[in-house]
């Protein structure tokens, strides 16, 4: 995706375009069996509602505390997922409020008036406000091999690390089912009652079956994942992005920019000028829904309006940074399934 905050290559690569959520990120730290078992072990502690808390994250880092953390500070999207599981955090960092003061799309159903916002944009993290919350743990996602915590500024990461241990959930180069399972395990370890959430998980599985059937019925329909900025249009490949990798595995026919074209985007995406936005012919276009990008209704470029999918009204939203609760991911599957079911071959 292109981003308003992505003003140069390094920054643009980090913030990403249409699912390009990191530049050259190569996260490999979350695949071992011990990591996968971290949630189940921690759940035993949570069940007792007292005693020590242990969780092994996707960096292979094990966090041990004397009790289940009460003062949690998290990246906004993580906080939104935990909220869906009944866990209320004390503070958040990352896109939380829009310029008009409303909840950002990444805040989900959270009441943002009940959390302390210690950073709302990229590279903003108020360390003093963070310390004042007396955090027990900091939780974020990670997009790279080094376990870099998403939206934790490089300049202040060492100060932040001294104040509380951190937990990272990987959202790099895997299907969305993997981080969904990890977030479930994390919420459970924090004491969440997962009984009600089980229904959302079933609905997710039903929606996945529907999407697989829709893709199988319309193999000729080509889907493009895009994102808009004032100067450039970004086309994401399916590799690396948790949602696109999963949709592709279910049979969705995506337009795939060649690796050479994605080089500038760290393997995530290809950058196109608006004059060349018609390089790929898609029947459905999925557009980045984050507030840092230009939304389809606000795109005034003549070349955009001439695209076949746009003319046909076959443009839907996409969440490149999904809120990792089953409840929030069900609509992602259902919306794409519905679009495929209704789509006409126009490209």
């Amino acid at each position: 995706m292109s981003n308003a905050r992505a003003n140069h290559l390094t920054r643009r690569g980090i913030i990403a375009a249409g699912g390009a959520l990191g530049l050259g990120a190569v996260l490999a730290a979350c695949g071992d069996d011990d990591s996968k078992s971290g949630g189940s072990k921690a759940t035993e502690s949570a069940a007792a509602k007292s005693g020590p808390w242990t969780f092994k994250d996707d960096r292979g880092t094990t966090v041990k505390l004397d009790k289940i953390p009460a003062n949690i500070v998290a990246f906004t999207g993580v906080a939104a997922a935990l909220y869906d599981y009944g866990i209320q955090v004390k503070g958040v960092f990352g896109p939380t409020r829009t310029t008009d003061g409303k909840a950002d799309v990444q805040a989900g159903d959270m009441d943002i008036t009940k959390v302390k916002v210690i950073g709302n944009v990229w590279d903003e993290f108020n360390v003093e406000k963070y310390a004042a919350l007396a955090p027990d743990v900091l939780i974020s996602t990670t997009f790279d091999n080094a376990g870099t915590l998403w939206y934790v500024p490089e300049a202040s990461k060492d100060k932040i690390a001294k104040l509380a241990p951190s937990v990272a959930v990987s959202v790099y180069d895997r299907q969305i089912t993997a981080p969904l399972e990890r977030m479930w395990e994390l919420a459970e370890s924090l004491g969440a009652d997962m009984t009600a959430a089980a229904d959302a998980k079933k609905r997710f599985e039903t929606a996945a079956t529907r999407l697989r059937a829709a893709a199988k019925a319309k193999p000729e329909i080509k889907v493009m994942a895009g994102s808009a900025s004032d100067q450039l249009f970004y086309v994401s490949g399916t590799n690396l992005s948790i949602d696109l990798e999963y949709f592709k595995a279910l049979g969705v026919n995506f337009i795939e920019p060649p690796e050479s074209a994605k080089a500038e985007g760290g393997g995530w995406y290809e950058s196109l000028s608006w004059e060349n936005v018609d390089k790929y012919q898609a029947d459905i276009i999925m557009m980045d829904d984050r507030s840092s990008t230009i939304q389809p209704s606000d795109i005034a470029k003549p070349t955009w309006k001439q695209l076949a999918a746009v003319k046909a009204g076959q443009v839907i939203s996409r969440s490149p940074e999904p809120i990792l609760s089953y409840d929030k991911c069900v609509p992602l599957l259902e919306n794409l399934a519905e679009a495929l079911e209704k789509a006409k071959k126009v490209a």
Side-chain angles (χ1 to χ4, degrees), residues 14 21 23 25-27 29 57-59 93 122 138 140-154 157 166-172:
I14 294 174
L21 295 174
L23 179 59
V26 198
L27 181 74
D57 75 0
D58 289 344
R59 299 169 298 182
F93 55 95
W122 181 254
L138 180 148
S140 190
T141 50
T142 183
F143 291 90
D144 64 35
N145 235 355
T148 302
L149 295 170
W150 191 231
Y151 266 80
V152 172
E154 180 69 21
K157 67 177 183 179
S166 63
V167 167
V169 175
S170 173
V171 287
Y172 174 77

Side-chain angles (χ1 to χ4, degrees), residues 277-340:
V277 74
D278 60 353
K279 178 177 179 178
Y280 301 109
Q281 297 299 315
D283 301 296
I284 295 173
I285 301 176
M286 301 176 69
M287 290 296 290
D288 190 337
D289 68 355
R290 288 172 293 183
S291 57
S292 55
T293 67
I294 301 176
Q295 297 306 298
S297 59
D298 297 321
I299 300 176
K301 307 290 185 180
T303 48
W304 163 259
K305 295 180 178 181
Q306 292 304 310
L307 294 177
V310 176
K311 285 183 175 181
Q314 295 181 171
V315 178
I316 65 173
S317 65
R318 175 196 169 213
S319 300
E321 291 185 68
I323 294 172
L324 295 171
S325 71
Y326 286 100
D327 181 71
K328 290 298 183 293
C329 288
V330 168
L332 309 184
L333 299 172
E334 292 181 335
N335 292 344
L336 182 52
E338 182 179 6
L340 284 168

Side-chain angles (χ1 to χ4, degrees), residues 1 5-17 20 22-24 232 234 262-267 269 271:
M1 100 194 100
R5 61 181 179 269
N7 295 323
H8 55 75
L9 175 59
T10 300
R11 198 170 185 183
R12 186 181 70 214
I14 294 174
I15 300 300
L23 179 59
L232 295 169
Y234 302 87
K262 295 189 295 179
E264 184 182 356
Y269 59 91
S271 306

Side-chain angles (χ1 to χ4, degrees), residues 95-300:
T96 307
R97 288 189 298 253
T98 59
T99 53
D100 58 4
K102 295 180 180 179
D104 189 275
V105 65
Q106 294 191 62
D109 293 332
M110 278 196 306
D111 183 346
I112 62 174
T113 66
K114 294 183 178 180
V115 293
K116 186 71 173 180
V117 181
I118 60 175
N120 193 61
V121 297
W122 181 254
D123 223 22
E124 178 183 86
F125 191 113
N126 190 307
V127 180
E128 288 73 24
K129 289 182 179 179
Y130 176 59
L133 290 172
D136 294 320
V137 67
L138 180 148
I139 310 174
S140 190
T141 50
T142 183
F143 291 90
D144 64 35
N145 235 355
T148 302
L149 295 170
W150 191 231
Y151 266 80
V152 172
E154 180 69 21
S156 54
K157 67 177 183 179
D158 292 339
K159 292 181 180 178
I160 293 166
K162 292 177 181 179
L163 295 171
S166 63
V167 167
V169 175
S170 173
V171 287
Y172 174 77
D173 196 17
R174 63 206 60 214
Q175 295 178 23
I176 195 171
T177 46
L180 274 172
E181 290 171 2
R182 291 296 281 150
M183 193 63 71
W184 173 291
E185 293 170 352
L186 178 59
E188 194 173 28
S189 80
L190 293 169
D193 181 353
M194 310 307 287
T195 305
D199 177 66
K201 190 172 184 179
K202 290 179 180 177
R203 289 189 288 111
F204 178 89
E205 293 165 353
T206 298
T209 299
R210 177 185 175 185
L211 179 54
R212 186 188 298 276
K216 184 176 181 180
K218 298 273 187 80
E220 75 282 2
I221 298 297
K222 292 185 177 181
V223 181
M224 179 168 67
S227 183
S229 72
D230 183 58
Q231 298 298 320
L232 295 169
F233 183 83
Y234 302 87
V235 180
S236 286
T238 58
N239 189 31
L240 307 182
S241 298
I242 57 173
D243 61 330
L244 301 185
E245 285 201 9
Y246 185 55
F247 299 157
K248 183 179 180 180
L250 292 176
V252 179
N253 181 10
F254 280 98
I255 287 172
E256 299 278 6
E259 292 302 316
S260 58
K262 295 189 295 179
E264 184 182 356
W268 293 86
Y269 59 91
E270 177 181 4
S271 306
L272 298 175
S273 67
W274 283 102
E275 289 75 15
N276 296 315
V277 74
D278 60 353
K279 178 177 179 178
Y280 301 109
Q281 297 299 315
D283 301 296
I284 295 173
I285 301 176
M286 301 176 69
M287 290 296 290
D288 190 337
D289 68 355
R290 288 172 293 183
S291 57
S292 55
T293 67
I294 301 176
Q295 297 306 298
S297 59
D298 297 321
I299 300 176

